[in-house]
Amino acid sequence: MTDRRPSEENGPPIARRVMLSMLGAGVAALAAAPVVQSGWERFLGAASQNDPTGLAGLLPNPGGFRYFSVAASVPKKTAADYQLEIGGLVERPRAYTLDELRALPQTRVIGDVQCTDGWRVPQTPFTGVLLSHLLDLAGVRPEGKAVRFTCFDGVYSESLTIEQARRADVLVALDMLDKPLTHERGGPVRLYVAPMYFYKSAKWLSGISVTDKVVPGYWEEYGYDVDGWLDQAA
């Protein structure tokens, strides 16, 4: 998910710039210390869950990925309370628990994670259920032309055409880097759209709805491409 926010188009306030530059210098020194780096990532996730200023989403992460949310806070979900709702223009709407998703056939996809701001983490493995398989189980009605994704942060959304959604490299992901998705990485369930920029891979996935047309997602409302293809996939 991209880490640029509409409110930052003219640059953050001076005080925020100074704080970020100081924190950036400190975090750079952590890059060679995996244990400390892991602790920093946990701190970013915890801080961002209750951060009305949005500052935590701007903090650098030496591990390559960055925690970012467009919401002031994001609730945590576990196997005990997570559900993925699938509905809209389908014959068999239903909700899946995390355990039920893990019981379905799993597919592993390795691809580059790339943000529109330029940071990139190459050859990142994701594992989960093919979105096409979930659509087949639901039974897409003939008038279904697109898929809309909503998230339990209560703010973010994304969309794909039915053709894009049925690609073999588009997952409802449960694992990343061969480990269960953490809250900080958008878990316990997120979308992974390998051939597109990472803003298309919605975190904290809570709903999949088949629609009769593409509904622009959160960042598309601010001018991002609806078809966020990476250059090599365009």
Side-chain angles (χ1 to χ4, degrees), residues 7-215:
S7 60
E8 294 169 29
E9 290 177 355
N10 297 318
I14 292 175
R16 181 176 288 188
R17 292 178 186 172
V18 172
M19 185 178 295
L20 287 176
S21 64
M22 293 172 64
L23 287 168
V27 173
L30 301 178
V35 174
V36 178
Q37 177 182 317
S38 176
W40 176 252
E41 291 183 357
R42 289 195 297 271
F43 165 77
L44 287 183
S48 299
Q49 291 172 56
N50 186 17
D51 176 28
T53 68
L55 177 60
L58 302 175
L59 296 177
N61 185 343
F65 295 95
R66 290 179 62 180
Y67 183 102
F68 181 77
S69 170
V70 298
S73 64
V74 183
K76 280 191 173 181
K77 299 286 186 179
T78 67
D81 60 3
Y82 178 80
Q83 281 197 327
L84 177 62
E85 302 278 350
I86 300 181
L89 299 175
V90 297
E91 300 292 345
R92 296 175 292 277
R94 66 161 293 177
Y96 288 89
T97 66
L98 185 58
D99 289 341
E100 288 171 336
L101 288 172
R102 288 200 173 276
L104 294 173
Q106 304 290 297
T107 298
R108 190 170 185 261
V109 173
I110 299 176
D112 294 348
V113 169
Q114 187 164 328
C115 178
T116 55
D117 282 356
W119 65 264
R120 176 173 171 268
V121 183
Q123 295 297 287
T124 304
F126 287 82
T127 303
V129 184
L130 285 170
L131 178 56
S132 60
H133 183 56
L134 290 173
L135 293 175
D136 287 343
L137 291 174
V140 176
R141 290 161 50 181
E143 61 269 34
K145 305 299 181 185
V147 185
R148 184 171 187 262
F149 308 94
T150 50
C151 308
F152 60 79
D153 66 356
V155 180
Y156 204 82
S157 64
E158 257 306 335
S159 288
L160 296 171
T161 67
I162 283 290
E163 291 76 15
Q164 292 165 351
R166 289 192 175 281
R167 287 179 59 108
D169 50 6
V170 176
L171 297 178
V172 171
L174 311 175
D175 296 337
M176 173 181 159
L177 298 171
D178 299 317
K179 297 179 181 179
L181 273 165
T182 64
H183 175 80
E184 292 78 14
R185 297 287 183 252
V189 178
R190 72 174 298 158
L191 190 65
Y192 179 54
V193 185
M196 294 186 178
Y197 282 100
F198 211 34
Y199 69 87
K200 299 294 292 187
S201 296
K203 297 193 291 187
W204 305 303
L205 188 64
S206 64
I208 297 173
S209 181
V210 176
T211 58
D212 60 358
K213 62 181 178 181
V214 170
V215 179

